[in-house]
């Protein structure tokens, strides 16, 4: 083709190249993501979960999952690229070596007579006098005439033999990657087009960036408003009872900005009557309590009632006009609870310690909302009843409080006792005592197959030293192991009443229950094995290299860590500064934000020695002792005056010990001049006491 046509094809080639740089990597990423999500079905297979709308696989829902904005955009970009390829192929011709014999349809070495004969035949077909088509005229002038001239004219023949073209040496052509019509526009139209290009290419992206930055400045990296974090930090109290955590949760700015319509008044009144039993209103002053409740902020009242509808499994009682708000409230709840947990364990004193009691309350609320179990169900109903009440049973399908009482008469009073039974004994118990059908008993087994077992192995030590002295940097090393009867590590929990898919997360806390303080906190997930492998390998390698271990020891330790991670363990390492001299009764908690009754804890006695004046350690005389002591759980449960006892946390026995015991633990000094902690021979650290 001509030079102008070659230049006009540069713009489509440029656009095709730019699109290819974006579309190809994006497509590969989406394919790899889709491939990694296939395989084993990670959600519960009980009948309740299969009926849950979030797991329905109807044709319309499948189409909706595929036809997301991202996928549609990707397909459209591939269509545009295909069109550009077709356009470029149709509008350009590949540069070919000039071959006059081939153009005239002759073999190399043809005679002059054959050349003239072939030229006359082609002239009849393409000469302007014979064929008025402009393309035919173009082909005749650019190819046929030049081919004949190259083979008959002496000068042209010499140019062809030297340079491969009858016109002599061909110069290199340069083009601009813009559409040809933009290069040919003159006058006022060119100015208008220039302004349009400036607007689309500069002003529009700038406006989009300004709007995005103005909105994103209101949010954190977890898509939670900064104002929400300020509200949570302000309303979080050290003695906040678990039943009061809900009142803090609803004070999120996202909920405050939720519209409250006049048409919502009557539906909210009806919903109030349904969930009133969970509001902890004083029955002696019921009217005054109700009046006080309705004087609150309308958005907070609305949000609290909707969350109580979730907790009491009364989603079907939510009026139609509030269904969209109900879905929005639950969609925001998981990440708001995560930020609320961070506010509970945030540093509140000079030592950088957070608060334990509200942190436990946040986790209990998260579990209850996910499983749709009322907070009142966590209250122990008797001296022999489990600390967390009947709530663990209620997360199982077809269970109710009456069923729990029936199986309790058969000496199965705790959730762990039910789990420890064999499948056959459990089936017989549920059918005979609970009145379950075969299908209902199978549903219970399907859920128990994915309920996790958590083991916690904790070590505290000072790197390169024996024992802990005041002011030392102590390293906490914890292996959290998750096992399920079905062999899976990552799985979606059984949560048929929660309308959105939810991943399991766990929180590791190292806390002083007597002082109500959290020393170390970290969120743990089991869904991303690749990230866990990388983090564990790097942590182990850096830790051992700092102690001077050789390459063989480091490689072996890294291999062991990788095997542990692949088998369902996660490594948590954190550092904290040792407090003043004394003995501290600490507890390591592993708390689930999803399951009720699977949390684990390990009691640890930390002995901190007085700092040596010269900075040296006081050593042992030929005796070595480990750094941890696992202690039996304290049974004393003196009531705390600041603690709201409308119901007790499952950890209340550890949280409410007397002030006298607290003073002794903090002020007690070591009887011997040892520089280590003592470990009780009575148990393993990996077996947490519930």
């Amino acid at each position: 083709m001509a030079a102008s046509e070659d230049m006009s094809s540069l713009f489509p080639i440029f656009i095709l190249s730019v699109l290819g740089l974006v579309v190809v990597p994006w497509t590969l990423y989406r394919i790899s993501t889709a491939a990694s999500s296939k395989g084993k079905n990670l959600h519960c297979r009980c009948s309740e979960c299969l009926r849950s709308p979030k797991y329905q696989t109807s044709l319309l829902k499948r189409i909706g999952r595929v036809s997301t904005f991202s996928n549609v955009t990707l397909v459209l970009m591939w269509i545009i690229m295909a069109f550009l390829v077709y356009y470029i192929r149709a509008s350009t011709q590949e540069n070919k070596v000039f071959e006059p014999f081939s153009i005239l349809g002759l073999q190399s070495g043809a005679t002059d007579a054959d050349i003239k004969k072939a030229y006359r035949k082609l002239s009849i077909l393409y000469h302007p006098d014979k064929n008025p088509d402009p393309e035919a005229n173009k082909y005749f002038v650019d190819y046929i005439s030049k081919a004949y001239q190259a083979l008959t004219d002496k000068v042209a023949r010499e140019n062809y033999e030297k340079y491969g073209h009858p016109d002599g040496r061909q110069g290199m052509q340069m083009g601009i990657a813009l559409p040809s019509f933009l290069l040919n526009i003159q006058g006022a139209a060119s100015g208008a087009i220039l302004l349009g290009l400036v607007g689309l290419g500069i002003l529009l992206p700038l406006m989009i960036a300004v709007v995005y930055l103005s909105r994103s400045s209101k949010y954190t990296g977890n898509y939670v408003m900064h104002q929400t974090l300020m509200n949570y930090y302000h309303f979080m109290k050290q003695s906040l009872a678990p039943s009061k955590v809900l009142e803090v949760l609803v004070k999120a700015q996202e909920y405050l900005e939720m519209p409250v319509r006049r048409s919502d008044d009557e539906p909210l009144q009806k919903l109030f009557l349904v969930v009133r039993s969970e509001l902890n209103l004083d029955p002696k002053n019921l009217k005054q309590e109700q009046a006080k409740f309705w004087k609150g902020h309308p958005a907070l009242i609305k949000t609290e009632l909707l969350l109580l509808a979730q907790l009491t499994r009364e989603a079907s009682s939510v009026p139609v006009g509030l269904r969209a708000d109900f879905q929005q409230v639950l969609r925001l709840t998981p990440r708001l609870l995560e930020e609320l947990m961070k506010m509970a364990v945030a540093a509140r004193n000079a030592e950088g310690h957070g608060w334990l009691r509200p942190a436990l309350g946040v986790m209990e609320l998260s579990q209850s909302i996910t499983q749709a179990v009322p907070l009142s169900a966590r209250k122990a109903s008797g001296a022999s009843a489990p600390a967390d009440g009947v709530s663990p049973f209620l997360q199982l399908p077809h269970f109710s409080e009456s069923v729990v009482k029936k199986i309790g008469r058969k000496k199965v009073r705790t959730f762990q006792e039910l789990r420890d039974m064999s499948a056959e004994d459990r089936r017989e118990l549920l059918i005979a005592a609970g009145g379950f059908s075969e299908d209902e008993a199978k549903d219970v087994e399907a859920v128990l197959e994915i309920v996790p077992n958590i083991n916690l192995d904790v070590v505290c030590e000072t790197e390169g030293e024996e024992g802990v002295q005041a002011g030392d940097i102590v390293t906490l090393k914890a292996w959290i192991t998750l096992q399920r009867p079905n062999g899976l590590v990552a799985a979606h929990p059984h949560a048929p009443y929660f309308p959105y898919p939810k991943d399991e997360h766990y929180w590791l806390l190292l806390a002083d229950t007597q002082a109500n303080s959290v020393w170390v906190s970290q969120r743990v997930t089991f869904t991303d094995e690749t990230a866990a492998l990388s983090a564990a390998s790097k942590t182990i390698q850096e830790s051992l290299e700092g102690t001077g271990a050789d390459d063989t020891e480091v490689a072996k330790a890294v291999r062991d860590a990788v095997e542990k991670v692949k088998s369902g363990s996660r490594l948590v390492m954190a550092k904290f500064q040792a407090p003043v001299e004394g003995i501290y009764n600490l507890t390591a908690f592993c708390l689930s934000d999803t399951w009720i009754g699977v949390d684990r804890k390990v009691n640890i006695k930390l002995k901190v020695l007085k700092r040596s004046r010269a900075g040296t350690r006081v050593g042992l005389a030929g005796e070595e002792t480990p750094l941890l002591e696992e202690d039996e759980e304290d049974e004393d449960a003196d009531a705390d005056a600041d603690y709201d006892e409308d119901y007790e946390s499952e950890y209340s026995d550890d949280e409410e010990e007397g002030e006298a015991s607290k003073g002794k633990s903090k002020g007690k000094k070591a009887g011997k001049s040892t520089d280590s902690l003592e470990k009780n021979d009575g148990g393993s650290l990996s077996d947490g006491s519930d």
Side-chain angles (χ1 to χ4, degrees):
M1 275 192 176
S4 61
E5 292 177 337
D6 289 338
M7 288 197 306
S8 66
S9 67
L10 292 177
F11 182 69
I13 294 174
F14 172 73
I15 296 298
L16 179 64
S17 302
V18 173
L19 286 177
L21 292 175
V22 177
V23 174
V24 173
W26 188 10
T27 303
L28 294 176
Y29 169 75
R30 296 306 299 266
I31 292 175
S32 63
T33 303
S36 62
S37 64
K38 292 183 179 180
K40 292 183 178 180
N41 201 319
L42 298 182
H43 71 77
C44 177
R45 305 301 297 171
C46 73
S47 60
E48 289 186 353
C49 285
L50 292 177
R51 289 194 301 267
S52 180
K54 63 183 174 183
Y55 293 134
Q56 294 295 323
T57 55
S58 62
L59 179 60
L60 291 178
K61 193 155 188 177
R62 289 178 181 177
I63 295 175
R65 288 177 179 176
V66 174
S67 58
T68 60
F69 177 78
S70 177
N71 289 343
V72 171
T73 303
L74 189 61
V75 171
L76 288 177
M77 294 179 76
W78 273 110
I79 293 174
I80 294 173
M81 288 180 64
F83 173 76
L84 289 174
V85 170
Y86 172 78
Y87 174 79
I88 293 170
R89 287 176 61 89
S91 60
T92 62
Q93 289 185 356
E94 185 180 357
N95 292 328
K96 298 180 180 179
V97 179
F98 186 76
E99 293 287 349
F101 289 106
S102 175
I103 294 172
L104 296 177
L106 299 173
Q107 296 292 331
S108 179
T111 62
D112 292 344
D114 293 335
I115 293 172
K116 293 180 180 180
K117 183 178 180 181
Y119 175 73
R120 283 195 293 269
K121 287 183 178 181
L122 293 174
S123 298
I124 295 173
L125 296 175
Y126 294 100
H127 196 279
D129 295 338
K130 304 292 184 179
N131 190 342
D133 186 4
E135 291 295 328
N137 181 23
K138 187 177 185 62
Y139 183 72
F140 181 80
V141 173
D142 292 342
Y143 292 94
I144 298 175
S145 296
K146 289 185 178 181
Y148 178 74
Q149 184 181 15
L151 297 177
T152 56
D153 184 81
K154 184 177 181 181
V155 177
R157 185 73 174 262
E158 184 179 354
N159 288 334
Y160 170 68
E161 291 175 353
K162 287 183 178 180
Y163 307 111
H165 199 278
D167 293 336
R169 187 191 299 274
Q170 300 296 297
M172 183 174 62
Q173 296 181 351
M174 302 292 290
I176 301 175
L178 288 175
S180 58
F181 70 89
L182 290 179
L183 302 175
N184 299 327
I185 293 178
Q186 297 179 354
S190 61
I193 292 177
L194 179 61
L195 291 177
L197 290 176
V198 171
L200 291 175
I202 300 177
L203 297 182
L204 181 61
L206 184 61
M207 292 175 61
I208 294 174
V210 170
V211 172
Y212 172 77
L213 292 175
S214 63
R215 291 186 177 182
S216 62
S217 63
K218 297 170 57 179
Y219 292 88
T220 65
N222 200 21
Y223 301 103
V224 174
M225 290 186 175
H226 289 289
Q227 185 61 44
T228 296
L229 302 187
M230 295 175 64
N231 294 347
Y232 284 170
Y233 192 86
H234 174 72
F235 288 105
M236 184 66 64
K237 303 300 179 184
Q238 185 174 6
S239 59
L240 187 69
S243 61
K244 302 298 182 183
V245 174
L246 180 61
E247 298 178 6
V248 180
L249 173 66
V250 300
K251 290 180 171 61
Q253 189 66 25
E254 289 85 347
Y255 293 151
L256 287 169
E257 294 183 359
M258 186 176 296
V260 180
R261 301 166 288 272
R262 291 186 177 180
S263 58
D264 293 342
D265 292 343
E266 184 177 352
L268 288 176
Q269 290 284 351
K270 294 180 180 179
L271 188 59
F272 173 80
L273 298 176
V274 175
V275 303
R276 181 171 54 184
S277 60
E278 289 295 317
L279 285 172
N280 297 318
L281 301 179
D282 186 2
K284 296 180 181 179
N285 302 306
L286 189 59
K287 290 185 178 180
Q288 292 85 343
E289 291 283 325
Q290 290 183 4
K292 181 180 178 181
F293 175 79
W294 287 107
K295 287 181 180 179
H297 193 288
L300 300 185
I301 294 173
K302 180 178 182 178
T303 302
E304 186 170 357
L305 292 177
L306 292 175
L307 285 174
L308 289 175
Q310 168 68 11
L311 288 169
T312 55
R313 299 187 180 180
E314 294 290 348
S316 59
S317 301
V318 176
V320 177
L322 298 176
R323 294 285 173 84
D325 295 330
F326 180 67
Q327 297 290 326
Q328 175 70 359
V329 167
L330 293 183
R331 186 181 66 83
L332 295 172
T333 298
R335 59 174 176 260
L336 291 178
L337 283 167
E338 180 184 344
E339 296 302 321
L340 188 59
M341 181 66 175
K342 293 178 182 178
M343 290 297 104
V345 299
R348 300 283 182 163
N349 54 28
E351 292 79 15
H353 296 167
W355 293 332
L356 176 62
R357 186 171 295 157
L360 297 178
V362 173
M363 285 294 96
E364 291 183 4
L365 179 61
S366 177
Q367 296 168 5
S368 296
I369 290 177
T370 303
Q371 298 296 340
V373 173
L375 293 174
S376 58
R378 306 188 78 112
K379 185 177 180 180
S381 58
S384 61
D388 48 3
V390 299
S391 55
F393 293 100
L394 297 183
Q395 66 188 335
L396 299 177
H398 316 300
F399 264 76
S400 63
E401 292 191 24
S402 62
V403 172
V404 177
K405 291 179 181 178
K406 290 177 182 178
I407 66 173
R409 299 189 188 104
K410 300 297 182 179
K411 308 301 181 183
V412 179
R413 294 187 175 89
T414 66
F415 185 57
Q416 190 60 44
E417 290 175 353
L418 181 68
R419 297 181 64 189
D420 291 340
M421 298 176 66
S422 66
E424 183 61 27
D425 292 343
R426 190 162 46 236
R427 186 187 69 84
E428 293 178 359
L429 173 70
L430 295 177
I431 293 176
F436 283 28
S437 65
E438 285 284 352
D439 290 339
E440 290 174 340
K442 289 180 180 178
D443 284 343
V444 174
E445 288 299 322
V447 174
L448 291 177
E449 283 288 311
I450 65 171
V451 176
N453 291 306
I454 303 296
N455 289 320
L456 189 57
D457 187 5
V458 181
V459 174
C460 291
E461 58 187 1
T462 52
E463 295 181 355
E465 300 288 350
E466 290 186 3
V468 178
Q469 291 187 357
D472 282 351
I473 300 300
V474 183
T475 300
L476 168 73
K477 179 181 178 182
W479 279 103
I480 304 173
T481 303
L482 182 147
Q483 296 175 330
R484 305 178 202 269
N486 63 2
L488 291 177
V489 175
H492 292 301
H494 166 79
Y497 298 97
F498 195 79
Y500 300 101
K502 185 181 184 304
D503 291 330
E504 297 175 353
H505 298 287
Y506 298 84
W507 280 84
L508 177 71
L509 305 180
L510 180 66
D512 186 342
T513 57
Q514 298 172 357
N516 187 29
S517 61
V518 176
W519 294 21
V520 174
S521 63
Q522 188 162 329
R523 188 168 179 258
V524 183
T525 180
F526 287 83
T527 55
D528 193 348
E529 183 179 286
T530 304
L533 286 170
S534 176
S537 301
K538 183 179 180 181
T539 302
I540 293 294
Q541 183 176 358
E542 291 178 351
S543 176
L544 291 180
E545 287 177 350
T547 61
D550 57 28
D551 294 342
T552 304
E553 294 176 346
V554 172
K556 184 179 182 302
V558 170
R559 285 196 301 269
D560 293 342
V562 168
E563 290 300 323
K564 277 190 173 184
V565 172
K566 289 183 177 179
S567 63
S569 297
R570 296 293 183 266
L571 175 63
V572 176
M573 292 192 71
K575 297 181 183 296
F576 62 93
Q577 188 172 21
V580 297
E581 177 188 5
I583 297 178
Y584 297 84
N585 294 312
L586 305 179
T587 304
F589 294 88
C590 183
L591 307 174
S592 171
D593 71 345
T594 304
W595 294 99
I596 304 175
V598 303
D599 300 335
R600 289 292 179 269
K601 60 182 179 179
V602 173
N603 294 323
I604 303 169
K605 182 170 288 185
L606 177 66
K607 183 183 293 184
V608 180
L609 302 177
K610 184 178 181 181
R611 190 75 178 179
S612 302
R613 291 186 178 180
T616 60
R617 306 293 181 136
V618 181
L620 290 174
E623 181 184 6
E624 293 185 0
T625 55
L627 298 177
L628 295 178
E629 176 177 351
E630 185 178 29
D631 200 7
E632 298 294 331
E633 288 189 46
D634 295 323
E635 299 295 336
D636 297 334
D638 297 335
D640 190 300
D642 295 333
Y643 182 53
D644 189 337
E645 292 184 348
D646 52 347
Y647 82 91
E648 294 185 358
S649 166
E650 59 183 292
Y651 303 108
S652 297
D653 58 336
D654 288 324
E655 295 170 19
E656 298 179 352
E657 295 182 312
E659 292 297 327
S661 175
K662 174 181 175 182
K664 289 181 180 180
S665 67
K666 288 294 183 67
K668 184 178 179 182
K669 295 190 177 182
K672 295 182 180 181
S673 180
T674 59
D675 61 344
S676 64
L677 302 178
E678 298 175 355
K679 179 177 178 182
N680 192 344
D681 295 331
S684 170
L685 290 175
S686 61
D687 296 328
S689 57
D690 291 342

